[in-house]
């Protein structure tokens, strides 16, 4: 009877929950009472509440010692909760955690693997460099643990500890243990070890020779690949993509082994696989190429039925891959037809891909695409419409037959007729077409007839490029315009307000036609260009013209300058340089591949800004901890009196904090700063890539 | 890889922020709010400022949250987006994609993030079933596609096992979906990770059941002249398993590749096939363009022998995805004739809708959305069947049928009535968005794909299972230009 009685008593004691009292001392005191309560269930509730407060952003660090007392328990759930609490403070209040370090070390030998994991994880998060002395032995032990789950956690912890204290890590030789984890029998451990090594390599490339390690472990990677989770597969595939095969046989083998993953449901895995295959593709023998490219195209196509963001990455990558292997997706044009509800960024990319994809020798396909693009040009989103019109021109120039060009032109004419505000884009597009076949009289007269019919051109054209093209056209086909002088005069009136491309174009046209125009116009323009324009290039240009005109045999000289013909527009699509292309192919699916900007060669070492407590002895740390706790307790009381003071001071800080952070982003460290300037460079270079601009620059380069 | 995860309310209020590496300041969220949420011009889902990159997606639903991943290296962008999508799915299962729910229950969200992201911001496990087992609460709503309407008996046929003699009539179906007949020992042992990360040891059910759903979404784009610009079917095979132990499943379809392989081997499996299970439209062989499999399927084996073999995770999952582009059985044909009236400021519609599937079947939830230009105040509509109303808020007419029988034809004729200030030009310049059709047909497979066999083997000799199969064809984007 007695033991039963005892059991009942124990059960009652365990399940008693003491209702929290409303006390005057404040919430923290109340929680503290709960944490030291003799009833286990009450203590557990109190821990839960503490964690809830913590997540809300309240500082409950003063409860640290009390929470920590609860760590010695057999109740796994409670232990988990305590660890959750400790982990939160491991980063921000490392000195507190050092108090518990002995408990962690004991827990690292717990029979339960979950507890072993948590203890090693927590220890690796404590930002005190001295902790490494304590961690060393448990870390070694967990790295050799029987349970793969523990090993895979321990492996990640090595990377964290490395960031904490590089020198000691090297000295203790835990990195060697990490390297040997690459030979582990469990694929998850291999994957995590790879991830950890990659991270360490990113911090300091001199410590581990990652490429060498990858080279020597390719077979392990290939084995592990089939048995791990999707995210681990991405890590391993990423490592494989850094490996260059020794010969065509090996390359073929790698491709054969990874290509099954093109069928994975996770599009990120598919992209990572594509990257590995692309990397090995140049090495394989020609007769196998066909089968692989078939697989690649169907994999790329399948990503088109994923969420739009994923499609966006895929489209950007397809653009890169197509440049290297243009024949890859030729039969899949229809997949890229724009859907009505695609987001704009996907639509724009799709048009670009379609124009690149289309087989320039296949008239039927080109016709189909032309009809499709025309359909898009009738929609309402302005960017989408301009891109489609640009696409029409690019397509016509790509196919290049005069018949096709005039067909595209007819479509453009119809579009202008239909919608008023397309004049800008159509004007640029038509001039591009004309540049492609400058000898075709019919095209020229059609275009000029249309432009000539616009009553007030300077108000119907808005963009700089469009105006520039319009004036260029007048300069080249003056006989096809009626009232040329009047139209030019309208343009010249606003000369000073125009942007520089239009100014340059006006200047050239006026010089070119100076024999047909009254002398005052020329004089007027040259004067304005040399005196009231800010752009140095325009001023220089005007000066040169002026000098030429005032030379003795000015007519022949000016004729020579003006009669030179702009080079024929052969290709309206921009390409990467070979070097950039190769780099981008190695960086598929990363952020840099989206911006088409390969990561700079300089090893990018990102400096971790962490508040690591260094060089403090144990007792000092303990004192710090005590002070910290005491301080926070005072804070608590202050808050309870409902003073408004702390609040106002914190709101005052917000704006300055925000500015700090912007600083942090733009000028985070030296590399950060260079990146942002690189971004600007990149933007300007993309601008240059823009076809309309290229065309105009050609025009400007004429003289 | 990922330095921080931020979740904002639709209006830009920060609800959840989890920092994984301490190299970011907390106020990074303000930067995103200013640069993206409050900036209406932003059109790209990715933003890079200096060395910091923000990837964001909007959660599904009308009131969509912003899910943001912050990273500071040249990270794998594809993986980040896939992770965000998966996170969204998991949150959706817990109904956390609703702003108010998330605010009340944000602890759950932190718990999820703890499970799915490891140290250093590398995703660990996003498989919804196994994530749920690691969390303290189970989601209230049924996850994934198990929220199926109860299949009625006529449409459902069980394959393989002799269903009638088994003694489980259709009633068991209800139990299967509602009652939790799972008994799992809650001791620590189950928390031990098994070799297969997606399935734990020690799962036990009183009755072993499998429900197989073949979902097909038909997308088609028809041009003005009636020719088909593109047509494809996105299909998924969803599987809900309530199986004990560590069963190994094998699964076969009538796709041309695996049939080809089987011809040499044995045709014994054909015996398992229950004739009733084949939908009417089934064709001989189907060419699957590309199949994607759940991570539990051993891809290696599929590549070698064309056998789909796997140990399923407990609960429901999407076993495979496929795409079919040839020989599609189109269930509907829409023939629109839209002309401008003599006055020039209104339109006249004549639309014929014809069903092409067998007359024994019927489609449900059929609705045809016919766009009308802005500036129309009403439409005079005449239909041969079904109900059609003018929805001014959508600028469209919606023609609905509760049930649409196979091999029937219906017509609609309508004239739009313009407002007094509607000009000819407005009608002329109207971009004519395509008409779109929605429908759902049970036990019809537009691709002609059918399940040939589904075998389950376990170490235990007395391992008996009940299997159910269901075919559903739905509309994806079924669009007709005019």
């Amino acid at each position: 009877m007695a033991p039963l009685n005892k059991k009942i008593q124990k059960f009652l004691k365990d399940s008693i929950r003491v209702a929290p009292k409303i006390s005057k001392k404040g919430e923290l005191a109340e929680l503290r009472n709960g944490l030291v309560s003799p009833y286990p269930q009450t203590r557990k509730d109190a821990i839960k509440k503490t964690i809830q407060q913590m997540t809300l952003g309240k500082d409950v660090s003063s409860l640290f010692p009390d929470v920590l007392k609860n760590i010695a328990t057999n109740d796994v759930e409670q232990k988990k909760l305590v660890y959750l609490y400790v982990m939160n403070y491991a980063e921000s209040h490392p000195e507190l955690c050092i108090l518990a370090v002995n408990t962690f070390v004991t827990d690292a030998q717990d029979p339960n693997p979950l507890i072993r994991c948590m203890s090693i994880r927590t220890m690796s998060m404590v930002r005190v460099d001295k902790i490494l002395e304590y961690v060393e032995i448990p870390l070694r032990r967990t790295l050799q643990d029987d349970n793969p789950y523990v090993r895979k956690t321990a492996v990640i912890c090595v990377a964290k500890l490395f960031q904490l204290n590089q020198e000691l890590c090297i000295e203790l030789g835990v990195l060697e243990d990490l390297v040997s984890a690459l030979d582990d029998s469990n694929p998850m451990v291999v994957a995590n070890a790879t991830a950890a090594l990659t991270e360490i390599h990113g911090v300091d490339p001199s410590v581990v020779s990652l490429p060498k390690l990858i080279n020597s472990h390719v077979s392990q990677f290939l084995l592990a690949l089939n048995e791990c989770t999707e995210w681990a597969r991405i890590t391993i595939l990423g490592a494989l993509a850094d490996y260059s095969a020794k010969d065509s046989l090996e390359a073929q083998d790698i491709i054969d082994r990874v290509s099954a993953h093109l069928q994975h449901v996770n599009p990120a895995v598919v992209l990572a696989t594509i990257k590995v295959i692309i990397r090995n593709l140049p090495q394989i023998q020609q007769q196998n190429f066909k089968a692989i490219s078939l697989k690649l195209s169907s994999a790329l196509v399948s990503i088109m039925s994923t969420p739009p963001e994923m499609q966006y990455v895929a489209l950007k990558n397809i653009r890169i891959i197509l440049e290297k292997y243009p024949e890859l997706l030729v039969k899949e044009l229809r997949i890229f037809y724009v859907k009505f509800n695609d987001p704009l960024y996907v639509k724009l990319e799709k048009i670009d891909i379609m124009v690149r994809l289309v087989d320039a020798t296949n008239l039927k396909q080109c016709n189909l695409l032309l009809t499709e693009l025309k359909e898009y040009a009738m929609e309402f989103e302005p960017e989408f419409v301009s891109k489609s019109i640009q696409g029409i021109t690019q397509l016509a120039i790509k196919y290049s037959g005069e018949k096709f060009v005039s067909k595209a032109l007819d479509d453009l004419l119809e579009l202008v007729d239909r919608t008023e505000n397309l004049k800008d884009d159509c004007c640029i597009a038509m001039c591009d077409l004309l540049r492609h076949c400058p000898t075709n009289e019919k095209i020229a007269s059609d275009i000029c007839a249309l432009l000539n019919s616009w009553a007030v051109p300077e108000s119907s054209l808005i963009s700089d490029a469009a105006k520039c093209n319009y004036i260029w056209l007048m300069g080249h086909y003056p006989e096809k315009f009626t009232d040329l002088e009047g139209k030019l005069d309208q343009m010249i009136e606003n000369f000073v307000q125009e942007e520089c491309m239009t100014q340059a174009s006006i200047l050239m046209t006026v010089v070119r036609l100076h024999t047909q125009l009254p002398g005052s116009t020329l004089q007027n323009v040259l004067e304005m260009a040399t005196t009231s324009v800010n752009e140095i290039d325009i001023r220089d240009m005007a000066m040169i013209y002026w000098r030429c005109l005032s030379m003795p045999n000015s007519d022949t000289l000016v004729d020579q300058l003006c009669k030179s013909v702009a080079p024929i527009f052969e290709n309206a699509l921009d390409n990467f340089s070979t070097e950039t292309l190769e780099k981008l192919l190695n960086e598929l699916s990363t952020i840099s591949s989206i911006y088409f900007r390969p990561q700079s060669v300089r090893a990018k070492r990102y400096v971790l800004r962490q508040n690591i407590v260094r060089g403090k002895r144990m007792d000092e740390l303990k004192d710090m901890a005590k002070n910290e706790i005491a301080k926070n307790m005072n804070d608590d009381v202050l808050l309870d009196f409902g003073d408004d003071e702390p609040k106002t001071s914190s709101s005052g800080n917000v704006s300055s904090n925000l500015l700090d952070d912007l600083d942090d982003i733009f000028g985070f460290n030296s590399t950060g700063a260079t990146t942002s300037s690189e971004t600007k460079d990149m933007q300007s270079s993309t601008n240059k890539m823009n076809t309309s601009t290229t065309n105009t620059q050609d025009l400007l380069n004429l003289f | 890889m990922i330095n921080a995860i931020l979740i904002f309310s639709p209006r830009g209020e920060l609800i959840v922020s989890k920092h994984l590496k301490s190299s970011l300041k907390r106020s990074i969220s303000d930067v995103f709010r200013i640069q993206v949420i409050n900036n209406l011009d932003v059109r790209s889902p990715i933003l890079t400022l200096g060395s910091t990159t923000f990837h964001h997606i909007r959660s599904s639903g009308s009131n969509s949250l912003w899910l943001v991943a912050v990273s500071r290296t040249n990270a794998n962008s594809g993986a980040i987006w896939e992770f965000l999508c998966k996170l969204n799915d998991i949150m959706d299962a817990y109904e956390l994609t609703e702003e108010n729910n998330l605010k009340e229950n944000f602890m759950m969200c932190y718990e999820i993030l703890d499970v799915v992201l490891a140290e250093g911001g590398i995703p660990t496990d996003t498989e919804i079933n196994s994530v749920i087992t690691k969390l303290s609460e189970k989601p209230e709503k049924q996850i994934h596609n198990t929220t199926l309407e109860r299949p009625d008996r006529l449409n459902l046929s069980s394959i393989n096992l002799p269903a009638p003699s088994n003694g489980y009539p259709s009633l068991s179906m209800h139990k299967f979906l509602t009652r939790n007949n799972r008994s799992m020992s809650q001791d620590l042992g189950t928390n031990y990770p098994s070799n297969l990360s997606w399935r734990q040891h020690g799962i036990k059910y009183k009755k072993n059941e499998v429900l197989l759903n073949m979902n097909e979404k038909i997308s088609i784009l028809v041009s003005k002249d009636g020719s088909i610009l593109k047509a494809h079917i996105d299909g998924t095979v969803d599987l809900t398993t309530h199986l004990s132990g560590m069963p190994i499943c094998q699964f076969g379809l009538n796709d041309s590749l695996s049939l080809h392989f089987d011809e040499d081997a044995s045709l014994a499996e054909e015996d398992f096939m229950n004739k009733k299970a084949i939908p009417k439209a089934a064709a001989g062989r189907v060419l699957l363009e590309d199949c994607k499999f759940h991570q539990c399927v051993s891809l290696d084996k599929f590549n070698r022998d064309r056998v789909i073999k796997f140990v399923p995770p407990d609960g429901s999952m999407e076993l495979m995805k496929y795409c079919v582009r040839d020989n599609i059985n189109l269930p509907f044909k829409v023939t629109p004739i839209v002309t401008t009236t003599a006055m020039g400021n209104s339109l006249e519609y004549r639309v014929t809708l014809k069903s092409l599937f067998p007359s024994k079947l019927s489609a449900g939830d059929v609705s045809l959305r016919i766009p009308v230009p802005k500036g129309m105040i009403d439409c005079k509509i005449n239909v041969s069947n079904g109900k059609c109303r003018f929805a001014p808020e959508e600028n469209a007419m919606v023609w609905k049928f509760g049930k649409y029988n196979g091999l029937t034809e219906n017509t609609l004729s309508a004239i739009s009535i313009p407002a007094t200030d509607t000009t000819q030009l407005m009608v002329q310049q109207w971009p004519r968005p395509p008409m779109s059709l929605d429908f759902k047909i049970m036990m019809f497979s537009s691709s002609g794909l059918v399940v040939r066999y589904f075998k389950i083997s376990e170490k235990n000799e007395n391992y008996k299972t009940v299997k159910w199969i269901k075919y559903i064809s739905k509309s994806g984007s079924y669009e007709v230009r005019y």
Side-chain angles (χ1 to χ4, degrees), chain A residues 334-378:
Chain A
R334 290 181 176 206
I335 281 297
F336 298 100
Y337 278 11
V338 171
K339 277 190 227 127
F340 199 68
N341 52 0
D342 278 335
L344 181 67
Y345 55 85
V346 170
K347 283 182 179 174
L348 298 184
E349 290 306 318
K350 276 188 174 173
I351 292 182
D352 190 47
I353 297 288
M354 281 196 289
V355 176
R356 280 165 197 281
L357 206 56
V358 77
D359 180 4
T361 52
N362 185 341
L363 178 64
K364 203 179 151 213
Q365 209 182 29
C366 288
N367 271 330
L368 261 178
L369 182 56
L370 184 65
T371 346
E372 191 68 18
L373 286 173
K374 195 179 149 199
E375 194 80 33
Y376 301 155
M378 292 190 223

Side-chain angles (χ1 to χ4, degrees), chain B residues 174-383:
Chain B
H174 290 253
K175 282 191 202 153
F176 176 61
L177 289 168
T178 50
R179 192 193 59 197
N180 191 5
N181 67 357
R182 172 172 164 172
S183 68
M184 221 170 97
S185 41
Q186 281 297 329
D187 65 309
L188 253 176
T190 50
N191 279 342
Y192 282 126
S194 67
N195 276 339
L196 303 168
S197 58
W198 55 85
R199 194 180 177 92
Q200 294 175 330
H201 285 298
I203 298 170
K204 270 199 191 103
Y205 287 100
K206 285 184 197 132
K207 197 169 70 201
N208 296 312
E209 286 166 302
V210 174
L211 170 63
L212 200 63
N213 264 314
M214 306 276 292
N215 298 311
E216 295 195 335
K217 262 194 182 164
I218 314 159
S219 296
I220 174 172
L221 181 62
V222 183
S223 77
K224 267 177 207 167
D225 53 8
S227 64
I228 293 167
L229 287 176
K230 68 170 180 182
H232 66 97
I233 294 173
D234 286 319
T236 59
V237 180
D238 291 334
L239 186 68
T240 309
T241 54
H242 286 178
L243 296 171
S244 320
M246 278 286 174
I248 299 166
C249 304
Q250 200 175 331
F251 165 69
L253 294 165
N254 63 334
D255 65 297
S256 48
L257 279 169
S258 67
L259 276 183
H260 178 72
F261 265 76
D262 282 353
E263 270 165 13
D264 317 329
S266 69
L267 288 165
E269 282 106 7
E270 300 283 345
D271 301 336
F272 285 103
M273 195 170 67
N274 185 325
K275 293 281 184 271
K276 266 201 302 187
I278 305 174
K280 298 288 177 280
R285 287 169 186 191
V286 181
L287 178 66
L288 294 185
E289 287 281 334
D290 59 304
C291 326
K292 303 274 156 186
F293 295 101
H294 185 269
Q295 57 171 334
C296 66
V297 177
S298 103
L299 295 171
D300 229 20
K301 207 161 180 85
F302 177 77
N303 234 27
R304 260 200 324 272
D305 320 324
R306 293 278 148 187
V307 173
I308 305 169
K309 212 168 184 178
F310 56 96
V311 178
D314 193 40
S316 53
M317 61 143 171
E318 189 182 277
L319 177 64
M320 75 179 272
K321 282 205 270 200
Y322 58 85
C323 186
V324 178
R325 284 204 224 118
D326 300 320
N327 297 327
I328 295 173
N329 306 314
L330 288 180
F332 284 100
K333 189 176 179 192
V334 184
T335 345
I337 303 168
V338 181
T339 46
T340 318
T341 51
M343 287 289 286
N345 59 355
S346 78
L347 292 173
E348 196 178 337
Y349 295 82
R350 290 190 66 82
V351 185
T352 316
L353 179 65
K354 193 176 173 188
S355 59
L356 306 171
F357 50 88
S359 53
K360 280 178 194 163
L361 298 174
S362 68
D365 302 335
V366 178
S367 90
L368 180 64
R369 198 175 163 281
I370 306 165
V372 172
K374 270 186 193 158
M376 298 295 159
I377 44 169
D378 201 0
C379 290
K380 244 194 276 173
I381 305 167
N382 205 343
V383 289

Side-chain angles (χ1 to χ4, degrees), chain B residues 154-175:
Chain B
L154 276 175
N155 282 343
L156 181 110
S157 22
S158 77
I159 51 162
N160 199 338
L161 266 169
S165 65
N166 202 312
Y168 296 116
S170 64
L171 187 68
S172 69
M173 205 54 220
H174 290 253
K175 282 191 202 153

Side-chain angles (χ1 to χ4, degrees), chain A residues 113 121 229 231 262-267 301-302 313 334 344-345 372 418 589 591-592 594-595 658 661, chain B residues 25 30 43 48 74-77 81-82 119 123 126 192 197 229 290-293 295 325 429 433 481:
Chain A
R121 242 182 95 179
T229 67
W231 304 105
L262 291 176
Q263 242 123 23
H264 202 282
V265 74
N266 184 333
V301 164
S302 72
V313 182
R334 290 181 176 206
L344 181 67
Y345 55 85
E372 191 68 18
R418 214 179 118 97
S589 108
I591 294 170
S592 58
I594 293 179
Y595 291 112
L658 184 58
D661 213 62
Chain B
K25 281 196 182 168
D30 293 328
R43 295 281 171 78
T48 302
N74 190 15
N76 185 335
S77 186
W81 263 315
E82 181 61 19
E119 310 294 300
T126 48
Y192 282 126
S197 58
L229 287 176
D290 59 304
C291 326
K292 303 274 156 186
F293 295 101
Q295 57 171 334
R325 284 204 224 118
Q429 288 190 359
R481 290 182 185 159

Side-chain angles (χ1 to χ4, degrees), chain B residues 27-167:
Chain B
S27 50
I28 196 80
S29 59
D30 293 328
V31 177
F32 181 78
R33 186 168 56 230
I34 293 164
Q35 297 287 335
V36 179
I37 300 181
N38 293 343
N39 187 348
L40 296 172
D41 291 337
V42 172
R43 295 281 171 78
S44 153
I46 181 170
L47 171 74
T48 302
L49 294 169
S51 58
T52 308
T53 305
F54 299 91
H55 289 80
H56 75 261
I57 64 165
R58 306 294 302 268
S59 67
S60 45
S62 55
N63 221 354
S64 48
L65 303 166
W66 300 79
L67 306 184
V68 187
V70 188
S71 53
R72 299 207 77 156
T73 46
N74 190 15
N76 185 335
S77 186
I80 290 178
W81 263 315
E82 181 61 19
F83 170 75
L84 286 177
C85 292
K86 286 269 170 68
L87 178 65
N88 183 31
D89 289 347
I90 298 171
M91 282 173 60
D92 206 31
Y94 281 88
E95 289 175 357
L96 291 176
T97 42
E98 202 48 54
E99 183 185 348
N100 291 334
N101 289 348
L102 182 63
K103 275 184 183 161
E104 272 170 30
N105 217 350
F106 64 94
M107 277 297 287
M108 198 61 222
C109 190
Y110 278 107
E111 210 180 325
I112 293 172
L113 285 172
D114 265 338
V115 170
V116 294
L117 274 176
E119 310 294 300
I122 303 162
T124 43
D125 184 7
T126 48
E127 186 58 48
I128 191 152
N129 296 305
S130 69
V131 169
I132 286 169
T133 57
K134 288 180 197 162
L135 294 174
S136 58
E137 283 173 47
K138 303 277 161 277
E140 274 173 34
K141 81 174 180 187
Q142 286 268 26
I143 50 153
H144 215 48
N145 287 330
T146 35
T147 44
L148 310 161
E149 44 310 302
R150 301 277 138 69
D152 56 283
R153 202 173 173 207
L154 276 175
N155 282 343
L156 181 110
S157 22
S158 77
I159 51 162
N160 199 338
L161 266 169
S165 65
N166 202 312

